[in-house]
Amino acid sequence: MLKIENLHVEVDGKEIIRGLDLEVPKGEVHAIMGPNGAGKSTLSYTLAGRDGYTVTDGKVTFRGRDLLDREPEERAADGLFLGFQYPVEIPGVATLTFLKTAVNAVRRQRGEAEYDAMQFMKLVRGKAKDLNISDEMLKRPVNVGFSGGEKKRNEILQMAVLDPAFCLLDETDSGLDIDALKVVADGVNALRGPERGMLIITHYQRLLDHIVPDRVHILAEGRIVESGDKDLALELEKKGYASFGTDRAA
Amino acid sequence: MDSTAEILLERFSAEADADRTAARDRFRAAGLPTPGQEAWKFTNLRPLAQFLDARAEPANDSTPDLPGRLVDGAYRVVIIDGRVDGEASGTGIGGLSLSRGSGLQSGTAGNRALRDLSIAMADDGLRIVLEANAAPAQALELVFIGTGSRPDGHHFTLEMELGANSALTVVEHHLGSNAYAATLATDVRLADGARLRHVKLQDESDAAFHLSDCALEIGRDASCERFVLSVGSRLARDEVHVALNGQGSSVRLLGAYAGRGQQHLDHTTHIDHKVPNTSSHEVYKGVLDDRSRGVFQGGIRVMQDAQKTAGHQLNKALLLSRQAEIDSKPALEIYADDVVCSHGATAGEIDEDALFYLRARGIDAAAAKNLLVQAFLDEVFDGIADEALRERLKDRVHDALQVEGSDHG
Amino acid sequence: MAATAETIQQVKELGDRYKYGFSTDIESDMAPKGLSEDIVRFISAKKEEPEWLLEWRLKAYRHWLTMPEPEWAFVDFPQIDYQDAYYYAAPKTGDKPKSLDEVDPKLLETYAKLGIPLREQEVLAGVEGAPKVAVDAVFDSVSVGTTYKKQLEAKGIIFCAISEAIQTHPELVRKYLGSVVPAADNKHSCLNSAVFTDGSFVYIPKGVRCPMELSTYFRINQENTGQFERTLIIADEGSYVSYLEGCTAPMRDENQLHAAVVELIALDDAEIKYSTVQNWYPGDENGKGGIYNFVTKRGACRGRNSKISWTQVETGSSITWKYPSCILQGDNSVGEFYSVAITNNRQQADTGTKMIHIGKNTKSTIISKGISAGHANQTYRGLVRIQPGAEGARNYTQCDSLLIGDKCGAHTVPYIEAKNSSARVEHEATTSKISDEQLFYCRQRGLSDEEAVALIVNGFCREVMRELPMEFAVEATKLVGISLEGSVG
């Protein structure tokens, strides 16, 4: 579903991703773990198409099409969802308005009929309830004044409502206490399915106790240095990044 | 032309050079500024015109007493009624040279009549040059004394030139007795990496007019910190024009003022951000009692190329009496999009709740009021690095407010 | 679907960038070109005005000749040739229409295109339970019809063309006309006083709460005409009225002058809410054509506890010069100014407000949101003055500017004059751009650049938009997007 070949990415003239290969087939959940500065966020921003992340070499195919020459909103319409590590505040725009605008923008690009207010509310209410998101929170401006947990739950709500083919979750566990982590993990697990791929980027193993991955990859210095099954995460937890780090990557 | 301008130009020297003559002609054409001009909307110079018209008798020209130093151990130059007193050449301070004479040109200033007046009519001037990389520990203190011996106006020009990566502290202390009109035009040029600390205490005689215009040009990675405290004069205007010409340059303008009686205290600033990555920070706070009036005009202009600019200004005024007035115009003019600029202004009276709280703890009303006023102003004084200087300036403003404080109880 | 929303759809289908850029082919009855005492007399005679009003006009005209153009605003345009315009243009319909049925059907068609529910059934066709809106429409210089008249009359409310009010309620007009904006107030208001041709008149009697929104729709159609409408609204003791004003004009290469005067008077315990969506033709992307919108709007809170609230969404005109103001005379009176101004391409706007606090415990709030894009320049200019007698007065001002692109300018020029120590004045202003993070976040969720900008800008303007009546808010929200088309990418 997502295939990355020999990807090289520069930010401000500095190479961060240095020949990364990765393939996530549909129906599978993969995790990427790596120390600070390994290039985890660079990878997610590059896949989502953010300005300033220059691909100097390599290729990414998503659902059989070249991903890299497309605008961010086209990638979104194609079913690529990025859960942000730091969700952005948009003052004055109610969360509900934002969601509806996004859902209908995506549906329009896919050639589907836009939801009317009734259909949309029905859709959102159900999903919001599962994530313990109140009507009051939906009325508040996007992420403004939200706690860390609320922001992440809001990301998962958007994911559920937008119903993407592929979920890219960037450090979704950061800033969450254990209760919030469980709510978020349940939300993610509910979206697992044979048609959907997921790539979970995280620093710590603890998220993977709740979202059990099919494959685990270790990212260091811009490359995948080790891949394995879920036990790799436990091994990493014991030995630390040092044993997988620069020596073996070099 | 108007008669006031004519009086001010009466003593124009027949031997004046082309620059001075040009400045005279411009001033003559423009005349004394009036509230019809946007830059003078809130400050009417009519009292000055009346004072000049009345042709006050010169006060006895006696040698005045020198005040104590504001900065311990500072090298001092004394200027009496617009003339340097004695010799001011060698200072013995490494890298610093002083020379007399007025060579200020008005080319950089667009249409500032009083600046033209100072240049045309300067009786004397001082040029201060600091070599590159010099950073004397000793401060330079300029003491301006007005005696009233020349009530129809004394004028002075000041130039400061700081070489690359040099650093200097300059203190101006303006004081006097009797009635007079004093003008001062200043040009400051900071070469790349230079740092200037400029502190000004305006403590002129209560019958005096003080009109000062300072132009600052700041080069790459250079910085200026300016602090002004205004407590004196019947009518004073302290005007500062800053050009941030080099990337990485910055300016901090701090001001405090305490008005009482019928004083009119005007602080007008204009900051031009001309290149990317410059910053300005401005805080002015004033306390106004009796029938005094404060004016704050702040302008920040960000030119089209000046991306990544940070510009912030704040003006707060405390009105202590029903008749006091503050007029504030903090303007932003922005032509670049990648900027973070803000301004804020407030006007109001002492927080009654805080006053009551202090009194409930046994502090009498006058003392409580003083305490709150002092606390209000402290934020600005905290910007002065030299502790002894800071305390002296605080004492001065404290005294000024104390005197009037007793009128009200 | 609300009538206004429907209109948006209709005009969208017209396809052009400026959605109201059609002109109507109607024969006009016009005065000769140019301005003179004779033209002033001609207008007054056409309107069959009483002698005192002609004298008032002539006095204004003579004073106007002596006044210089105001030059303090940050706007730049060539000298206006006042002799090169028509000061009176009325749709030629023979005798005055006795009822709406006699109005030229082409005119009604124009208003239908604009979404002005001139005919009551069109309003009734709106969303169930939607408030009724009574409309007075001004076409070039003449009022062409007022809806819901009878229903309003039953409550004692007068809502009609000002030319009609001059005939039917001369005592009210004479008492209040020019009492808030004196003829000599400024060059543009002075011209208006001399040559105003029509506009709306509203009187809400004591204790009456106007049961529906009142609305005027202004449209400049004729080439080379100025539009000089005059609006006078009086809210008597304890009354309430909400008034909406909308404006459009066809696309023309020449600049057209619009110099209106609006006067509001609120007596004891009365409240007037005045909302404007100004969408005059802004000129093309090179700055050719467009309306000069030089408008004087001022409200007097004469009575105790009275309140006047201005809400404006300004997206049109090539040049806007406009400062809806409040004179807070009555003790405890309240003035509010909520403004969104959008300038794109070569548009220029110098707009803001004046809050003059005279009475005790008067309060004012100013929320201004300025958005500048393209090569446009925009200035917020506002005065807050606390007079010595305004014990306990309060003002809060917040003005935020948003820049889109690096060729535009956003300026803030507040004047704060506090002459009473018990008053409290607070002013805050910020200038920034739309952050790249916000844009990317929206695009990651599937929004296009333009959708993202429209969404973020609407969020930025929310505090103002929520002050608008429902029907207007829908239109205004869409206008934000339309006005910023082409500003990104």
Side-chain angles (χ1 to χ4, degrees), chain B residues 1-9 27-34 49 53:
Chain B
M1 78 171 278
D2 66 80
S3 64
T4 311
E6 201 57 60
I7 295 167
L8 284 162
L9 291 174
F27 179 69
R28 182 174 264 171
L32 210 60
T34 65
D53 270 345

Side-chain angles (χ1 to χ4, degrees), chain A residues 195-238:
Chain A
E195 295 302 317
R196 185 174 279 127
M198 288 194 187
L199 184 59
I200 292 164
I201 295 175
T202 183
H203 188 89
Y204 299 106
Q205 188 267 338
R206 65 168 191 170
L207 179 66
L208 305 182
D209 288 343
H210 301 276
I211 307 171
V212 180
D214 298 303
R215 298 281 293 167
V216 174
H217 311 275
I218 297 173
L219 179 70
E221 304 210 323
R223 304 168 62 176
I224 303 293
V225 294
E226 187 85 28
S227 296
D229 62 13
K230 63 179 170 26
D231 295 335
L232 181 62
L234 297 169
E235 192 188 335
L236 181 70
E237 183 80 349
K238 275 193 214 113

Side-chain angles (χ1 to χ4, degrees), chain A residues 71 73 92 108-109 155 158, chain C residues 441 443 445-446 451 462:
Chain A
E71 294 295 322
E73 60 269 31
R108 205 163 49 239
Q109 289 183 70
E155 291 293 289
Q158 291 177 42
Chain C
Y441 190 70
R443 294 180 71 193
R445 297 296 182 255
E451 287 170 318
R462 206 180 93 92

